[in-house]
Amino acid sequence: EGRDHFAEHCAVCHANDGSGKTIINEGLYPPAPDLRGETQKLSDGEIFYIIKNGIRFTGMPGFGGEGDGSENWKLVAFIRY
């Protein structure tokens, strides 16, 4: 489920492999990060917070979701994979 969510909402900027090498990302400032590198040093809670709230003054929107946040936790697990 996390993979499907990533493909629908995240891959347009972060690429299917998490590299950030997309046409959309070429036009972003600051660019979306490579999720395979420095992002892996963040805690699960930090990644969850970014997914839920976004990052101000960047192209990263918040995906607050509804309920208990289980969809976002599935996405965190996929990013860790």
Side-chain angles (χ1 to χ4, degrees):
E1 291 178 43
R3 180 192 67 201
D4 293 341
H5 184 90
F6 188 89
E8 291 175 19
H9 300 285
C10 311
V12 67
C13 294
H14 292 286
N16 285 327
D17 64 357
S19 68
K21 294 182 180 177
T22 69
I23 292 172
I24 297 293
N25 198 24
E26 289 176 10
L28 293 178
Y29 184 81
D34 182 336
L35 298 178
R36 305 168 302 173
E38 293 295 314
T39 301
Q40 293 300 317
K41 294 179 182 177
L42 299 173
S43 71
D44 289 352
E46 289 170 319
I47 294 172
F48 179 87
Y49 181 89
I50 291 169
I51 293 167
K52 181 176 181 182
N53 299 296
I55 301 175
R56 290 181 63 181
F57 308 117
T58 73
M60 177 63 193
F63 293 96
E66 297 181 14
D68 63 359
S70 62
E71 292 300 314
N72 289 339
W73 282 116
K74 291 174 186 175
L75 188 53
V76 170
F78 177 74
I79 290 169
R80 288 287 187 217
Y81 174 72

